[in-house]
Amino acid sequence: MHAKTTVLKQANTLAPKRFMDINIDNQQAIFVERLRTIDDLPVVLDQDYLLTPPVSSLPAGVAEDSIYEYLEKELHLEVSYATKAITVEKAADDIAEKLQLDDDKLVVIVRSLSYLDDTTLFQLTSSYHRPDKFKFIDFARRKKI
């Protein structure tokens, strides 16, 4: 299996005014769009907004490898946790094209808010997954009282 990440776009911009259940007002961000392929088949399209601050920079080429490794080792930010929402929706035409979706254009979307150890929000992510390649596995433990 040959996995590859291709950066389609990286630019300074404003974060969306509303994402999931939170309002974001005039927050500067670094937008990164990446396409992940396996054996040349597109399987995931990630759209990330890295909020500035606390993320001060993202050099070219970092997003092709590991953004979190750069944040932790170079910027000394402590990535801690995320909240996620998973839905199935009809994809916009540009997303359907990038993921080579079937005519129904259904896509699994994982939206997440990621936080640093001090609870500072630093990342907004929408990950678009081909439904035929998506798998969700969870582990839940119930504490006995």
Side-chain angles (χ1 to χ4, degrees), residues 86-106:
I86 302 171
T87 59
V88 177
E89 301 174 23
K90 188 166 184 149
D93 290 340
D94 63 323
I95 291 168
E97 182 179 328
K98 289 172 185 171
L99 288 174
Q100 300 174 8
L101 296 177
D102 293 338
D103 290 339
D104 64 9
K105 296 184 183 179
L106 290 179

Side-chain angles (χ1 to χ4, degrees), residues 11-24:
N12 293 328
T13 188
L14 286 175
K17 291 183 180 186
R18 182 150 179 86
F19 190 84
M20 291 176 68
D21 291 332
I22 66 167
N23 291 319
I24 302 163

Side-chain angles (χ1 to χ4, degrees), residues 54-125:
V55 179
S56 57
S57 65
L58 189 68
V62 168
E64 290 177 358
D65 194 23
S66 173
I67 291 175
Y68 279 21
E69 183 176 334
Y70 171 78
L71 296 179
E72 292 174 331
K73 290 185 178 177
E74 300 300 323
L75 297 184
H76 307 289
L77 298 173
E78 294 182 44
V79 176
S80 184
Y81 64 96
T83 58
K84 297 180 184 277
I86 302 171
T87 59
V88 177
E89 301 174 23
K90 188 166 184 149
D93 290 340
D94 63 323
I95 291 168
E97 182 179 328
K98 289 172 185 171
L99 288 174
Q100 300 174 8
L101 296 177
D102 293 338
D103 290 339
D104 64 9
K105 296 184 183 179
L106 290 179
V107 66
V108 177
I109 306 174
V110 181
R111 292 182 179 93
S112 58
L113 299 166
S114 299
Y115 297 85
L116 299 175
D117 195 43
D118 67 359
T119 72
T120 299
L121 176 65
F122 77 94
Q123 182 181 30
L124 318 172
T125 301

